[in-house]
Amino acid sequence: MQDRVIVTAALTGAGDTVGKSEHVPVSPEQIAADAVAAANAGAAVVHIHVRNVDTGQGSRDVALYRDVVGRIRESGVDVVVNLTAGMGGDLFLDQDDPLKPVDGTDLVNATDRLPHVEELLPDICTQDCGSLNFGEGSQLYVSTPDMLRTGLKRIQELGVKPELEIFDTGQLWLATKLIEEGLIDAPPLFQLCMGIPYGAPANPELLQTMVNMLPEGAQWASFAIGRNQLPWVAQSALLGGHVRVGLEDNLYLAKGVKATNAQLVERAVSIVEGLGGTIATPDEARAQLNLKGAGRG
């Protein structure tokens, strides 16, 4: 187990969860308030998406990110800010005419996924390390090697730490190659994402295999979605990783009991401490991850 285990709270995501739980934050005020509550509950890092206030759908609106991050920074609560840079990769295809994108497509180039990162300079931003058949139907998430190289080069120039989102073993292979190419400063930070259809299943043996594939010196965390989220806190911590919980990935504290972000963080802290671990503070997380943006988040 790590000497200090970093807890990340993934607050809202972009999935169709708003109608499933009244606790999923939508407005900038709600997202920022959940970030503060999660930090007070023990999260060293908050992972942030924003949503269209009227529709509840995921958004790339820089003004919404500016509002959320500004509120967090003005709150006086110390927490590491991690902004998604994964929005803008969604491609929905017409089965009969696959060259014709259909409603729901939001596909832009690598640099057009980063304007909020360029303006707000968070401690961390995510990079999804490969394309993926995203669930049933004809939705793809698109992140090609060339897109990744372009995005990572710009992120490196900004002094922001990329969190390498890994959804399968091939993506881990690619990310390791990009590290070898000098596009990611040490130590690389991996997030091993388990259980998302159709990426890596939430299988402990597969998690161990992926951990074995990590380059020497890497910092890493792992999470699983749905009912596997809280048990996965123990899986990840016991294998030497950090942990992630939050309403982006799971809506329940127990069967039939809807959770808040703060409650999920409290449960993760309890699990790690029950295993004999110690929870990292934001400053300890910055030191472990060698964050150049210390003090900005």
Side-chain angles (χ1 to χ4, degrees):
M1 188 179 293
Q2 290 269 357
D3 288 339
R4 295 289 186 274
V5 178
I6 298 169
V7 177
T8 293
L11 302 174
T12 188
D16 186 21
T17 54
V18 172
K20 298 175 182 178
S21 173
E22 65 276 19
H23 299 305
V24 175
V26 174
S27 70
E29 296 91 338
Q30 292 169 340
I31 296 169
D34 266 30
V36 170
N40 286 333
V45 181
V46 287
H47 173 59
I48 297 168
H49 289 247
V50 294
R51 291 179 180 263
N52 181 296
V53 177
D54 295 324
T55 67
Q57 298 302 304
S59 174
R60 291 189 287 112
D61 188 338
V62 175
L64 294 173
Y65 281 104
R66 185 185 306 124
D67 195 352
V68 172
V69 174
R71 290 173 183 274
I72 294 170
R73 289 173 173 168
E74 291 167 4
S75 73
V77 171
D78 187 26
V79 69
V80 174
V81 172
N82 174 338
L83 299 184
T84 184
M87 301 296 288
D90 294 323
L91 175 61
F92 289 79
L93 299 178
D94 185 318
Q95 286 191 80
D96 298 321
D97 184 4
L99 291 178
K100 175 185 176 183
V102 297
D103 288 348
T105 294
D106 179 29
L107 184 60
V108 298
N109 66 37
T111 54
D112 285 347
R113 301 182 193 188
L114 297 175
H116 59 306
V117 176
E118 293 176 326
E119 177 180 329
L120 299 170
L121 296 176
D123 298 280
I124 302 169
C125 73
T126 61
Q127 285 284 275
D128 295 332
C129 289
S131 301
L132 181 73
N133 287 324
F134 200 83
E136 300 293 343
S138 298
Q139 181 183 0
L140 302 174
Y141 183 81
V142 179
S143 181
T144 67
D146 282 347
M147 286 177 171
L148 280 164
R149 288 185 174 95
T150 298
L152 286 167
K153 182 178 179 181
R154 182 59 181 142
I155 292 165
Q156 190 175 51
E157 291 169 349
L158 294 169
V160 174
K161 171 72 71 175
E163 181 181 87
L164 306 172
E165 307 292 294
I166 305 297
F167 295 87
D168 215 337
T169 52
Q171 296 187 7
L172 181 47
W173 179 10
L174 173 58
T176 301
K177 188 173 188 299
L178 298 174
I179 293 167
E180 293 170 353
E181 293 175 10
L183 291 167
I184 299 158
D185 296 334
L189 172 60
F190 289 82
Q191 183 72 255
L192 306 179
C193 312
M194 316 296 285
I196 293 90
Y198 286 103
N203 180 307
E205 293 179 358
L206 180 56
L207 178 62
Q208 179 68 76
T209 297
M210 294 172 79
V211 171
N212 292 344
M213 293 174 63
L214 292 169
E216 186 176 354
Q219 290 283 326
W220 67 276
S222 181
F223 71 90
I225 64 172
R227 64 182 182 180
N228 289 314
Q229 183 182 80
L230 292 170
W232 214 258
V233 170
Q235 294 282 359
S236 187
L238 287 172
L239 287 179
H242 304 294
V243 304
R244 166 171 145 171
V245 292
L247 296 179
E248 175 171 350
D249 307 315
N250 163 50
L251 301 177
Y252 292 91
L253 192 65
K255 186 174 181 179
V257 180
K258 292 179 180 177
T260 67
N261 279 305
Q263 288 172 332
L264 290 170
V265 171
E266 289 169 354
R267 182 64 59 83
V269 168
S270 176
I271 291 169
V272 172
E273 291 180 340
L275 294 171
T278 301
I279 301 300
T281 67
D283 278 343
E284 289 169 340
R286 293 185 181 102
Q288 286 188 71
L289 304 178
N290 191 28
L291 299 180
K292 297 179 180 179
R296 288 188 307 215

